[in-house]
Amino acid sequence: MPGRRRRRAASRHLAVTERVLACPRPEFDVAVQPGEDGDDSTEVVVTARTLVRDLLLQAGRLDPAAEADRGLLTLLPGEQAVVRVTGCPGLTAEAARTALFCVETA
């Protein structure tokens, strides 16, 4: 949609070591929508339900020609991030979820 502004996730720094930080298991929702530019892109919208650390969409797992426009993201509960994927026509939310990875506590 023209005029729609993309919101960038803010940088996060956790001031304690992983052993001290007790985090719940990361939970997030995934949705897809057509890209804004009328090209073959798809926007993958990730909404965090808990803290999601170092989220990464590995586009190469979807299609060898696929590329994602963002790297590691950390989201607080309720935050959303949009990752634009090109080179993977017909991308579904289920397929995108298989290519999303993040830090999971032991």
Coordinates of all heavy atoms in Angstrom, one line a residue:
M1 N 0.8 -1.2 0.0 CA 0.0 0.0 0.0 C 0.9 1.2 0.0 O 1.8 1.3 0.8 CB -0.9 0.0 1.3 CG -2.0 -0.9 1.3 SD -3.0 -0.6 2.7 CE -3.0 -2.2 3.4
P2 N 0.6 2.2 -0.9 CA 1.4 3.4 -0.9 C 1.2 4.2 0.4 O 0.2 4.2 1.0 CB 0.9 4.2 -2.1 CG 0.1 3.2 -2.9 CD -0.3 2.1 -2.0
G3 N 2.3 4.8 0.8 CA 2.2 5.6 2.0 C 2.3 4.8 3.3 O 2.4 5.4 4.4
R4 N 2.3 3.5 3.3 CA 2.5 2.7 4.5 C 3.9 2.8 5.0 O 4.8 2.6 4.2 CB 2.0 1.3 4.3 CG 1.9 0.6 5.6 CD 1.3 -0.8 5.3 NE 2.3 -1.7 4.8 CZ 2.1 -2.9 4.4 NH1 0.9 -3.4 4.4 NH2 3.1 -3.6 4.0
R5 N 4.1 3.1 6.2 CA 5.5 3.2 6.8 C 5.9 1.9 7.4 O 5.1 1.3 8.1 CB 5.5 4.3 7.8 CG 5.2 5.7 7.1 CD 5.2 6.7 8.1 NE 6.6 7.1 8.4 CZ 7.0 8.0 9.2 NH1 6.1 8.6 10.0 NH2 8.2 8.2 9.4
R6 N 7.1 1.5 7.2 CA 7.6 0.3 7.8 C 8.2 0.7 9.2 O 8.9 1.7 9.3 CB 8.7 -0.3 7.0 CG 8.2 -0.9 5.8 CD 9.3 -1.7 5.1 NE 8.7 -2.3 3.9 CZ 9.3 -3.1 3.2 NH1 10.5 -3.5 3.4 NH2 8.7 -3.7 2.1
R7 N 7.9 -0.1 10.2 CA 8.4 0.2 11.5 C 9.6 -0.7 11.7 O 9.5 -2.0 11.6 CB 7.4 -0.1 12.5 CG 7.7 0.4 13.9 CD 6.6 0.3 14.8 NE 7.0 -0.6 15.8 CZ 6.2 -1.2 16.7 NH1 4.9 -1.1 16.6 NH2 6.7 -2.0 17.6
R8 N 10.8 -0.2 12.0 CA 12.0 -0.9 12.3 C 12.0 -1.3 13.7 O 11.7 -0.5 14.6 CB 13.2 -0.1 12.0 CG 13.3 0.2 10.5 CD 14.4 -0.7 9.9 NE 14.5 -0.4 8.5 CZ 14.9 -1.3 7.7 NH1 15.0 -2.5 8.0 NH2 15.0 -1.0 6.4
A9 N 12.4 -2.6 14.0 CA 12.6 -3.0 15.4 C 13.8 -2.3 16.0 O 14.8 -2.1 15.3 CB 12.8 -4.5 15.4
A10 N 13.6 -1.9 17.2 CA 14.7 -1.2 17.9 C 15.8 -2.1 18.3 O 15.6 -3.3 18.5 CB 14.2 -0.5 19.1
S11 N 17.0 -1.6 18.4 CA 18.1 -2.4 18.9 C 17.9 -2.8 20.3 O 17.5 -1.9 21.1 CB 19.4 -1.7 18.7 OG 20.5 -2.4 19.2
R12 N 18.3 -4.0 20.7 CA 18.1 -4.4 22.1 C 19.5 -4.9 22.7 O 20.2 -5.6 22.0 CB 17.1 -5.6 22.2 CG 15.8 -5.3 21.6 CD 14.9 -4.5 22.6 NE 13.6 -4.4 22.0 CZ 13.1 -3.2 21.8 NH1 13.7 -2.1 22.0 NH2 11.8 -3.1 21.3
H13 N 19.7 -4.5 23.9 CA 20.9 -5.0 24.6 C 20.5 -5.5 26.0 O 19.8 -4.8 26.7 CB 21.9 -3.9 24.8 CG 23.1 -4.3 25.6 ND1 24.1 -5.1 25.2 CD2 23.4 -4.0 26.9 CE1 25.0 -5.3 26.2 NE2 24.5 -4.6 27.2
L14 N 20.8 -6.8 26.2 CA 20.4 -7.4 27.5 C 21.6 -7.3 28.4 O 22.7 -7.8 28.1 CB 20.0 -8.8 27.3 CG 18.8 -9.0 26.3 CD1 18.5 -10.4 26.1 CD2 17.6 -8.2 26.8
A15 N 21.5 -6.7 29.6 CA 22.6 -6.3 30.4 C 23.0 -7.5 31.4 O 23.8 -7.2 32.3 CB 22.2 -5.1 31.3
V16 N 22.5 -8.7 31.2 CA 22.9 -9.8 32.0 C 23.3 -10.9 31.1 O 22.9 -11.0 29.9 CB 21.8 -10.2 33.0 CG1 21.5 -9.2 34.0 CG2 20.6 -10.6 32.2
T17 N 24.1 -11.9 31.6 CA 24.5 -13.1 30.8 C 23.3 -14.0 30.6 O 22.3 -13.9 31.4 CB 25.6 -13.8 31.5 OG1 25.1 -14.3 32.8 CG2 26.8 -12.9 31.7
E18 N 23.4 -14.9 29.7 CA 22.3 -15.8 29.4 C 22.0 -16.7 30.6 O 20.8 -17.0 30.8 CB 22.6 -16.7 28.2 CG 22.5 -15.9 26.9 CD 22.7 -16.8 25.7 OE1 22.4 -18.0 25.8 OE2 23.2 -16.3 24.7
R19 N 23.0 -17.1 31.4 CA 22.7 -17.9 32.5 C 21.9 -17.3 33.6 O 21.1 -17.9 34.3 CB 24.0 -18.4 33.1 CG 24.7 -19.4 32.3 CD 26.0 -19.9 32.9 NE 27.0 -19.0 32.4 CZ 28.2 -18.8 33.0 NH1 28.5 -19.5 34.0 NH2 29.1 -18.0 32.5
V20 N 22.0 -15.9 33.7 CA 21.2 -15.2 34.7 C 19.8 -14.9 34.2 O 18.9 -14.9 35.0 CB 22.0 -13.9 35.0 CG1 21.2 -13.0 36.0 CG2 23.3 -14.2 35.6
L21 N 19.7 -14.7 32.9 CA 18.4 -14.3 32.3 C 17.5 -15.5 32.1 O 17.8 -16.4 31.4 CB 18.7 -13.6 31.0 CG 17.5 -13.0 30.2 CD1 16.9 -11.9 31.0 CD2 17.9 -12.6 28.9
A22 N 16.4 -15.5 32.9 CA 15.4 -16.6 32.7 C 14.3 -16.2 31.7 O 13.5 -15.4 32.1 CB 14.8 -16.9 34.1
C23 N 14.4 -16.7 30.5 CA 13.5 -16.3 29.5 C 12.5 -17.5 29.2 O 12.9 -18.6 29.2 CB 14.2 -16.0 28.2 SG 15.2 -14.6 28.3
P24 N 11.2 -17.1 28.9 CA 10.3 -18.2 28.5 C 10.6 -18.7 27.1 O 11.4 -18.0 26.4 CB 9.0 -17.5 28.5 CG 9.3 -16.0 28.3 CD 10.6 -15.8 29.0
R25 N 10.1 -19.8 26.8 CA 10.3 -20.3 25.4 C 9.7 -19.3 24.4 O 8.7 -18.8 24.6 CB 9.6 -21.6 25.3 CG 9.8 -22.3 24.0 CD 9.2 -23.7 24.0 NE 9.6 -24.4 22.8 CZ 8.9 -24.4 21.7 NH1 7.8 -23.7 21.6 NH2 9.3 -25.1 20.7
P26 N 10.5 -18.9 23.3 CA 10.0 -17.9 22.4 C 8.7 -18.4 21.7 O 8.7 -19.5 21.2 CB 11.2 -17.8 21.4 CG 12.1 -18.9 21.6 CD 11.8 -19.5 23.0
E27 N 7.8 -17.5 21.6 CA 6.5 -17.8 20.9 C 6.2 -16.6 20.0 O 6.3 -15.4 20.5 CB 5.4 -18.0 21.9 CG 5.5 -19.2 22.8 CD 4.4 -19.4 23.7 OE1 3.4 -18.7 23.6 OE2 4.5 -20.2 24.7
F28 N 5.8 -16.9 18.8 CA 5.5 -15.8 17.8 C 4.6 -16.3 16.8 O 4.5 -17.5 16.5 CB 6.8 -15.2 17.2 CG 7.7 -16.3 16.6 CD1 7.5 -16.6 15.2 CD2 8.7 -16.9 17.3 CE1 8.3 -17.6 14.6 CE2 9.5 -17.8 16.7 CZ 9.4 -18.2 15.4
D29 N 3.8 -15.3 16.2 CA 2.9 -15.6 15.1 C 3.5 -15.2 13.8 O 4.3 -14.2 13.8 CB 1.6 -14.9 15.3 CG 0.9 -15.3 16.6 OD1 0.8 -16.5 16.9 OD2 0.4 -14.4 17.4
V30 N 3.2 -15.8 12.7 CA 3.7 -15.5 11.4 C 2.6 -15.3 10.4 O 1.6 -16.1 10.4 CB 4.7 -16.7 10.9 CG1 5.2 -16.3 9.5 CG2 5.8 -16.9 11.9
A31 N 2.6 -14.3 9.7 CA 1.7 -14.0 8.6 C 2.4 -13.5 7.4 O 3.6 -13.0 7.5 CB 0.7 -12.9 9.0
V32 N 1.9 -13.7 6.2 CA 2.5 -13.2 5.0 C 1.5 -12.3 4.2 O 0.3 -12.5 4.4 CB 3.0 -14.3 4.1 CG1 4.1 -15.1 4.7 CG2 1.9 -15.2 3.6
Q33 N 2.1 -11.3 3.5 CA 1.3 -10.5 2.7 C 2.1 -10.1 1.5 O 3.3 -10.1 1.5 CB 0.8 -9.2 3.5 CG 1.9 -8.4 4.0 CD 1.5 -7.4 5.1 OE1 0.5 -7.6 5.8 NE2 2.2 -6.3 5.2
P34 N 1.4 -9.7 0.4 CA 2.2 -9.3 -0.8 C 3.1 -8.1 -0.6 O 2.7 -7.2 0.3 CB 1.1 -9.0 -1.9 CG -0.2 -9.5 -1.3 CD 0.0 -9.6 0.2
G35 N 4.2 -8.0 -1.2 CA 5.1 -6.9 -1.1 C 4.4 -5.6 -1.6 O 3.5 -5.6 -2.4
E36 N 5.0 -4.5 -1.1 CA 4.4 -3.2 -1.5 C 4.7 -2.7 -2.9 O 4.0 -2.0 -3.5 CB 4.9 -2.1 -0.5 CG 4.5 -2.3 0.9 CD 5.1 -1.2 1.8 OE1 5.8 -0.3 1.3 OE2 4.7 -1.2 2.9
D37 N 5.8 -3.1 -3.4 CA 6.3 -2.5 -4.7 C 5.8 -3.1 -5.9 O 6.2 -2.8 -7.0 CB 7.9 -2.6 -4.7 CG 8.5 -1.9 -3.5 OD1 7.9 -0.9 -3.0 OD2 9.5 -2.3 -3.0
G38 N 4.8 -4.1 -5.9 CA 4.3 -4.7 -7.0 C 5.2 -5.7 -7.7 O 5.0 -6.1 -8.8
D39 N 6.3 -6.0 -7.0 CA 7.3 -7.0 -7.6 C 6.9 -8.4 -7.1 O 5.8 -8.6 -6.6 CB 8.7 -6.6 -7.3 CG 8.9 -6.4 -5.8 OD1 8.0 -6.7 -5.0 OD2 10.0 -6.0 -5.4
D40 N 7.8 -9.3 -7.1 CA 7.6 -10.7 -6.7 C 7.9 -10.8 -5.2 O 7.9 -11.9 -4.7 CB 8.4 -11.7 -7.5 CG 9.9 -11.6 -7.1 OD1 10.3 -10.6 -6.6 OD2 10.6 -12.6 -7.3
S41 N 8.0 -9.8 -4.4 CA 8.3 -9.9 -3.0 C 7.1 -10.2 -2.2 O 6.0 -10.0 -2.5 CB 8.9 -8.6 -2.5 OG 8.0 -7.6 -2.5
T42 N 7.4 -10.8 -1.0 CA 6.4 -11.2 0.0 C 6.9 -10.6 1.3 O 8.1 -10.7 1.6 CB 6.3 -12.7 0.1 OG1 5.9 -13.2 -1.2 CG2 5.2 -13.1 1.1
E43 N 6.0 -10.0 2.1 CA 6.4 -9.5 3.4 C 6.0 -10.6 4.5 O 4.8 -11.0 4.5 CB 5.7 -8.2 3.7 CG 6.3 -7.1 2.8 CD 5.6 -5.8 3.1 OE1 4.6 -5.7 3.9 OE2 6.2 -4.8 2.6
V44 N 7.0 -11.0 5.2 CA 6.7 -11.9 6.3 C 6.6 -11.1 7.6 O 7.5 -10.4 8.0 CB 7.8 -13.0 6.5 CG1 7.6 -13.9 7.6 CG2 8.0 -13.8 5.2
V45 N 5.4 -11.1 8.2 CA 5.2 -10.3 9.4 C 5.3 -11.3 10.6 O 4.5 -12.2 10.8 CB 3.8 -9.7 9.4 CG1 3.6 -8.8 10.6 CG2 3.7 -8.8 8.1
V46 N 6.2 -11.0 11.5 CA 6.4 -11.8 12.8 C 5.9 -10.9 14.0 O 6.4 -9.8 14.1 CB 7.9 -12.2 12.9 CG1 8.0 -13.0 14.2 CG2 8.3 -13.0 11.7
T47 N 5.0 -11.5 14.7 CA 4.5 -10.8 16.0 C 4.9 -11.7 17.2 O 4.5 -12.8 17.3 CB 3.0 -10.7 15.9 OG1 2.6 -10.0 14.7 CG2 2.5 -9.9 17.1
A48 N 5.7 -11.1 18.1 CA 6.2 -11.8 19.2 C 5.1 -11.9 20.3 O 4.4 -10.9 20.6 CB 7.4 -11.1 19.8
R49 N 5.0 -13.0 20.9 CA 4.1 -13.2 22.0 C 4.9 -13.2 23.3 O 4.4 -13.0 24.4 CB 3.2 -14.5 21.9 CG 2.2 -14.3 20.8 CD 1.2 -15.4 20.8 NE 1.7 -16.5 19.9 CZ 1.6 -17.8 20.1 NH1 1.1 -18.2 21.2 NH2 2.1 -18.6 19.2
T50 N 6.2 -13.6 23.2 CA 7.1 -13.6 24.3 C 8.4 -12.9 23.8 O 8.4 -12.5 22.6 CB 7.5 -15.0 24.8 OG1 8.1 -15.7 23.8 CG2 6.3 -15.7 25.3
L51 N 9.4 -12.8 24.6 CA 10.7 -12.3 24.1 C 11.2 -13.2 23.1 O 11.3 -14.4 23.3 CB 11.7 -12.2 25.3 CG 13.1 -11.8 24.9 CD1 13.2 -10.3 24.4 CD2 14.1 -11.9 26.1
V52 N 11.6 -12.7 21.9 CA 12.2 -13.5 20.8 C 13.5 -12.9 20.5 O 13.6 -11.8 20.0 CB 11.3 -13.5 19.6 CG1 11.9 -14.3 18.4 CG2 9.9 -14.0 19.9
R53 N 14.6 -13.7 20.8 CA 15.9 -13.2 20.7 C 16.6 -13.7 19.4 O 16.5 -14.9 19.1 CB 16.8 -13.6 21.9 CG 16.3 -12.9 23.1 CD 17.1 -13.2 24.3 NE 18.5 -13.7 24.1 CZ 19.1 -14.6 24.7 NH1 18.5 -15.3 25.7 NH2 20.3 -14.9 24.4
D54 N 17.3 -12.9 18.7 CA 18.1 -13.2 17.5 C 17.2 -14.0 16.5 O 17.7 -15.1 16.0 CB 19.3 -14.0 17.9 CG 20.3 -13.1 18.7 OD1 20.1 -11.9 18.7 OD2 21.1 -13.7 19.4
L55 N 16.1 -13.5 16.1 CA 15.2 -14.1 15.1 C 15.9 -13.9 13.7 O 16.3 -12.8 13.4 CB 13.9 -13.5 15.1 CG 12.8 -14.0 14.1 CD1 12.4 -15.4 14.5 CD2 11.7 -13.0 14.0
L56 N 15.9 -15.0 12.9 CA 16.5 -14.9 11.6 C 15.7 -15.7 10.6 O 15.3 -16.9 10.9 CB 17.9 -15.5 11.7 CG 18.7 -15.5 10.3 CD1 19.0 -14.2 9.8 CD2 20.0 -16.3 10.5
L57 N 15.3 -15.1 9.5 CA 14.7 -15.8 8.5 C 15.7 -16.3 7.5 O 16.4 -15.4 6.8 CB 13.6 -15.0 7.8 CG 12.7 -15.7 6.8 CD1 11.3 -15.1 6.8 CD2 13.2 -15.9 5.4
Q58 N 16.0 -17.6 7.4 CA 17.0 -18.1 6.5 C 16.3 -18.4 5.1 O 15.8 -19.5 4.9 CB 17.6 -19.4 7.1 CG 18.4 -19.1 8.3 CD 19.0 -20.4 8.9 OE1 18.9 -21.5 8.4 NE2 19.7 -20.2 10.0
A59 N 16.4 -17.4 4.3 CA 15.6 -17.4 3.0 C 16.1 -18.5 2.1 O 15.3 -19.1 1.3 CB 15.8 -16.1 2.3
G60 N 17.4 -18.9 2.2 CA 17.9 -20.0 1.4 C 17.2 -21.3 1.6 O 17.3 -22.2 0.8
R61 N 16.6 -21.5 2.8 CA 15.9 -22.7 3.1 C 14.5 -22.8 2.3 O 13.9 -23.8 2.2 CB 15.6 -22.8 4.6 CG 16.9 -23.1 5.3 CD 16.6 -23.2 6.8 NE 17.8 -23.5 7.6 CZ 18.2 -24.7 7.9 NH1 17.5 -25.8 7.5 NH2 19.3 -24.9 8.6
L62 N 14.1 -21.6 1.9 CA 12.8 -21.5 1.1 C 13.0 -21.8 -0.3 O 12.2 -22.5 -1.0 CB 12.2 -20.2 1.3 CG 11.8 -19.8 2.7 CD1 11.4 -18.3 2.8 CD2 10.7 -20.6 3.3
D63 N 14.1 -21.2 -0.9 CA 14.4 -21.3 -2.3 C 15.8 -20.9 -2.5 O 16.2 -19.9 -1.9 CB 13.4 -20.5 -3.1 CG 13.6 -20.7 -4.6 OD1 14.6 -20.2 -5.2 OD2 12.7 -21.2 -5.2
P64 N 16.6 -21.5 -3.3 CA 18.0 -21.1 -3.5 C 18.1 -19.7 -4.0 O 19.1 -19.0 -3.7 CB 18.6 -22.1 -4.5 CG 17.7 -23.3 -4.4 CD 16.3 -22.8 -4.0
A65 N 17.1 -19.2 -4.7 CA 17.2 -17.8 -5.2 C 16.6 -16.8 -4.3 O 16.6 -15.6 -4.5 CB 16.4 -17.7 -6.5
A66 N 16.0 -17.2 -3.2 CA 15.3 -16.3 -2.2 C 16.4 -15.5 -1.4 O 17.4 -15.9 -1.1 CB 14.4 -17.1 -1.3
E67 N 15.9 -14.2 -1.1 CA 16.8 -13.3 -0.3 C 15.8 -12.6 0.7 O 14.7 -12.2 0.4 CB 17.5 -12.3 -1.1 CG 18.5 -12.9 -2.1 CD 19.3 -11.8 -2.9 OE1 19.0 -10.6 -2.6 OE2 20.0 -12.2 -3.7
A68 N 16.3 -12.4 1.9 CA 15.6 -11.6 2.9 C 16.3 -10.3 3.1 O 17.5 -10.2 3.0 CB 15.6 -12.4 4.3
D69 N 15.6 -9.2 3.4 CA 16.1 -7.9 3.5 C 16.7 -7.5 4.9 O 17.2 -6.5 5.1 CB 15.1 -6.8 3.1 CG 14.0 -6.6 4.0 OD1 13.7 -7.5 4.9 OD2 13.3 -5.6 4.0
R70 N 16.5 -8.4 5.9 CA 16.9 -8.2 7.2 C 17.6 -9.4 7.8 O 17.4 -10.5 7.5 CB 15.7 -7.8 8.1 CG 15.0 -6.6 7.5 CD 13.8 -6.2 8.3 NE 14.3 -5.6 9.6 CZ 13.4 -5.1 10.5 NH1 12.1 -5.2 10.3 NH2 13.9 -4.6 11.6
G71 N 18.4 -9.1 8.8 CA 19.1 -10.1 9.5 C 18.5 -10.4 10.9 O 17.3 -10.4 11.1
L72 N 19.4 -10.5 11.9 CA 19.0 -10.8 13.3 C 18.1 -9.7 13.9 O 18.4 -8.6 13.8 CB 20.2 -11.0 14.2 CG 21.1 -12.3 13.8 CD1 22.3 -12.2 14.7 CD2 20.3 -13.5 14.0
L73 N 17.0 -10.2 14.5 CA 16.1 -9.3 15.2 C 15.8 -9.8 16.5 O 15.6 -11.0 16.8 CB 14.8 -9.2 14.4 CG 14.9 -8.8 12.9 CD1 13.6 -9.1 12.2 CD2 15.1 -7.3 12.8
T74 N 15.6 -8.9 17.5 CA 15.1 -9.2 18.8 C 13.8 -8.4 19.0 O 13.8 -7.2 18.9 CB 16.2 -8.9 19.9 OG1 17.3 -9.7 19.7 CG2 15.6 -9.1 21.3
L75 N 12.8 -9.2 19.4 CA 11.5 -8.5 19.6 C 11.0 -8.7 21.0 O 11.1 -9.8 21.6 CB 10.5 -9.2 18.6 CG 10.8 -9.1 17.2 CD1 9.8 -9.9 16.4 CD2 10.8 -7.7 16.7
L76 N 10.4 -7.7 21.6 CA 9.7 -7.8 22.9 C 8.3 -8.3 22.7 O 7.8 -8.1 21.5 CB 9.7 -6.4 23.6 CG 11.1 -5.9 23.9 CD1 11.0 -4.4 24.5 CD2 11.8 -6.8 24.9
P77 N 7.6 -8.8 23.7 CA 6.3 -9.2 23.5 C 5.4 -8.1 22.9 O 5.5 -7.0 23.4 CB 5.8 -9.5 25.0 CG 7.1 -9.9 25.7 CD 8.1 -9.0 25.1
G78 N 4.6 -8.4 21.9 CA 3.7 -7.5 21.3 C 4.3 -6.8 20.1 O 3.6 -6.2 19.3
E79 N 5.7 -6.8 19.9 CA 6.3 -6.1 18.8 C 6.2 -6.9 17.5 O 6.1 -8.2 17.6 CB 7.8 -5.9 19.1 CG 8.1 -4.8 20.0 CD 9.5 -4.4 20.1 OE1 10.4 -5.3 20.1 OE2 9.8 -3.2 20.1
Q80 N 6.2 -6.2 16.4 CA 6.1 -6.8 15.1 C 7.4 -6.4 14.3 O 7.9 -5.3 14.5 CB 4.9 -6.3 14.3 CG 3.6 -7.0 14.7 CD 2.5 -6.6 13.7 OE1 2.6 -5.6 13.0 NE2 1.5 -7.4 13.6
A81 N 7.8 -7.3 13.4 CA 8.8 -7.0 12.5 C 8.4 -7.6 11.1 O 7.7 -8.6 11.0 CB 10.1 -7.7 12.9
V82 N 8.8 -6.8 10.1 CA 8.5 -7.3 8.7 C 9.8 -7.6 8.0 O 10.7 -6.8 8.0 CB 7.7 -6.1 8.0 CG1 7.5 -6.5 6.5 CG2 6.4 -5.8 8.7
V83 N 9.8 -8.8 7.5 CA 11.0 -9.2 6.7 C 10.5 -9.4 5.3 O 9.6 -10.2 5.0 CB 11.6 -10.5 7.2 CG1 12.8 -11.0 6.4 CG2 12.0 -10.4 8.7
R84 N 11.1 -8.6 4.4 CA 10.8 -8.7 2.9 C 11.6 -9.8 2.3 O 12.8 -9.8 2.3 CB 11.0 -7.4 2.3 CG 10.5 -7.3 0.9 CD 10.5 -5.8 0.5 NE 10.1 -5.7 -0.9 CZ 10.8 -5.2 -1.9 NH1 12.0 -4.7 -1.6 NH2 10.3 -5.1 -3.1
V85 N 10.9 -10.7 1.6 CA 11.5 -11.8 0.9 C 11.3 -11.7 -0.6 O 10.1 -11.5 -1.0 CB 11.0 -13.2 1.5 CG1 11.6 -14.4 0.7 CG2 11.2 -13.3 3.0
T86 N 12.4 -11.8 -1.3 CA 12.2 -11.8 -2.8 C 12.7 -13.1 -3.3 O 13.5 -13.8 -2.7 CB 13.1 -10.7 -3.4 OG1 14.4 -10.8 -3.0 CG2 12.5 -9.3 -3.0
G87 N 12.3 -13.5 -4.5 CA 12.8 -14.7 -5.2 C 12.1 -16.0 -4.7 O 12.6 -17.0 -4.9
C88 N 10.9 -15.8 -4.1 CA 10.2 -17.0 -3.6 C 8.7 -16.8 -3.8 O 8.0 -16.5 -2.8 CB 10.6 -17.3 -2.1 SG 9.9 -18.8 -1.5
P89 N 8.3 -16.9 -5.0 CA 6.8 -16.6 -5.3 C 6.0 -17.7 -4.6 O 6.4 -18.8 -4.4 CB 6.7 -16.7 -6.8 CG 7.9 -17.5 -7.2 CD 9.0 -17.2 -6.2
G90 N 4.8 -17.3 -4.2 CA 3.8 -18.2 -3.6 C 4.2 -18.6 -2.1 O 3.7 -19.6 -1.6
L91 N 5.0 -17.8 -1.5 CA 5.4 -18.1 -0.1 C 4.2 -18.1 0.9 O 3.4 -17.1 0.8 CB 6.4 -17.0 0.4 CG 7.0 -17.2 1.8 CD1 7.7 -18.5 2.0 CD2 7.9 -16.0 2.1
T92 N 4.1 -19.1 1.7 CA 3.0 -19.2 2.7 C 3.5 -18.9 4.1 O 4.7 -19.1 4.3 CB 2.3 -20.6 2.6 OG1 3.3 -21.5 3.0 CG2 1.8 -20.9 1.2
A93 N 2.6 -18.7 5.0 CA 3.1 -18.5 6.4 C 3.7 -19.8 7.0 O 4.7 -19.7 7.7 CB 1.9 -18.1 7.3
E94 N 3.1 -20.9 6.6 CA 3.7 -22.2 7.1 C 5.1 -22.4 6.6 O 6.0 -22.8 7.3 CB 2.8 -23.3 6.6 CG 1.4 -23.3 7.3 CD 0.4 -22.3 6.6 OE1 0.6 -22.0 5.4 OE2 -0.5 -21.9 7.3
A95 N 5.3 -22.1 5.3 CA 6.7 -22.3 4.7 C 7.6 -21.3 5.4 O 8.8 -21.6 5.7 CB 6.6 -22.1 3.2
A96 N 7.2 -20.0 5.6 CA 8.0 -19.0 6.2 C 8.4 -19.5 7.6 O 9.6 -19.3 8.0 CB 7.3 -17.7 6.2
R97 N 7.5 -20.0 8.4 CA 7.8 -20.5 9.7 C 8.9 -21.5 9.7 O 9.7 -21.5 10.7 CB 6.5 -21.0 10.4 CG 6.8 -21.4 11.8 CD 5.5 -21.8 12.5 NE 4.7 -20.7 13.0 CZ 4.9 -20.0 14.1 NH1 6.0 -20.3 14.8 NH2 4.1 -19.0 14.4
T98 N 9.0 -22.4 8.7 CA 10.0 -23.4 8.7 C 11.4 -22.8 8.5 O 12.4 -23.5 8.8 CB 9.8 -24.5 7.6 OG1 9.9 -23.8 6.3 CG2 8.4 -25.1 7.7
A99 N 11.5 -21.6 8.0 CA 12.8 -20.9 7.8 C 13.1 -19.9 8.9 O 14.1 -19.2 8.7 CB 12.8 -20.2 6.4
L100 N 12.3 -19.8 9.9 CA 12.6 -18.8 11.0 C 13.2 -19.6 12.2 O 12.8 -20.6 12.6 CB 11.3 -18.2 11.5 CG 10.7 -17.1 10.6 CD1 9.2 -16.8 10.9 CD2 11.5 -15.9 10.6
F101 N 14.3 -19.0 12.6 CA 15.1 -19.6 13.8 C 15.4 -18.5 14.8 O 15.5 -17.3 14.4 CB 16.4 -20.2 13.3 CG 16.1 -21.4 12.3 CD1 16.0 -21.1 11.0 CD2 16.0 -22.6 12.8 CE1 15.7 -22.2 10.1 CE2 15.8 -23.7 12.0 CZ 15.6 -23.5 10.6
C102 N 15.4 -18.8 16.1 CA 15.8 -17.9 17.1 C 16.4 -18.6 18.3 O 16.4 -19.8 18.3 CB 14.5 -17.1 17.6 SG 13.3 -18.1 18.3
V103 N 16.9 -17.9 19.2 CA 17.6 -18.4 20.4 C 16.5 -19.0 21.3 O 15.5 -18.4 21.6 CB 18.3 -17.4 21.2 CG1 18.8 -17.9 22.5 CG2 19.5 -16.8 20.4
E104 N 16.7 -20.3 21.7 CA 15.8 -20.9 22.6 C 16.6 -21.3 23.9 O 17.6 -21.9 23.8 CB 15.1 -22.2 22.0 CG 14.2 -21.9 20.8 CD 13.2 -23.0 20.5 OE1 12.9 -23.7 21.5 OE2 12.8 -23.0 19.4
T105 N 16.0 -21.0 25.0 CA 16.7 -21.3 26.3 C 16.7 -22.8 26.5 O 15.7 -23.5 26.1 CB 16.1 -20.5 27.4 OG1 14.7 -20.8 27.5 CG2 16.3 -19.0 27.3
A106 N 17.7 -23.2 27.3 CA 17.7 -24.7 27.6 C 16.8 -25.1 28.7 O 16.3 -24.3 29.4 CB 19.2 -25.0 27.9

